[in-house]
Amino acid sequence: MMRVFGRIAAERAALDYPAVSIDITPASADSLPVAPRDGEFAQALRARIKTIMSTWVGVDRTADGLRKALRELDHLAAEALAFGASRDELTVLNMLTAARAIAGAAL
């Protein structure tokens, strides 16, 4: 059976580092307030997610940077939920969930 480098690296990392637990609570679309918007808020959130991910969760990353990314992503999620959510913003919430999962898994 042929194994790829990524799998070998992941198996080795699992032996070297303790499990990291991340709390990701998915929200259903029914539980979120829906507010009509023109999409600018969602565009701004998307841009902030991309900046956070490229700055703190890229190839060259540190544990402190990953923790900072998780804090900033949590802040963005709270901000998005506080203002209600259009369809575009629900997509952004999905992006935030994925980004947080990636950052948490890398930590």
Side-chain angles (χ1 to χ4, degrees), residues 51-65:
T51 299
I52 291 166
M53 294 300 286
S54 64
T55 302
W56 302 112
V57 190
V59 174
D60 185 19
R61 59 185 177 230
T62 65
D64 287 340

Side-chain angles (χ1 to χ4, degrees), residues 27 29 31-37 40-46 48-49 71-97:
S31 69
L32 300 172
V34 178
R37 292 194 206 281
E40 287 182 25
F41 184 63
Q43 288 175 1
L45 288 176
R46 257 191 226 96
R48 288 168 67 187
I49 293 168
R71 284 191 306 272
E72 290 186 23
L73 291 167
D74 287 344
H75 176 76
L76 285 181
E79 186 178 332
L81 289 172
F83 289 103
S86 67
R87 182 177 302 277
D88 284 342
E89 288 151 7
L90 291 175
T91 300
V92 169
L93 289 173
N94 287 337
M95 288 176 65
L96 284 165
T97 300

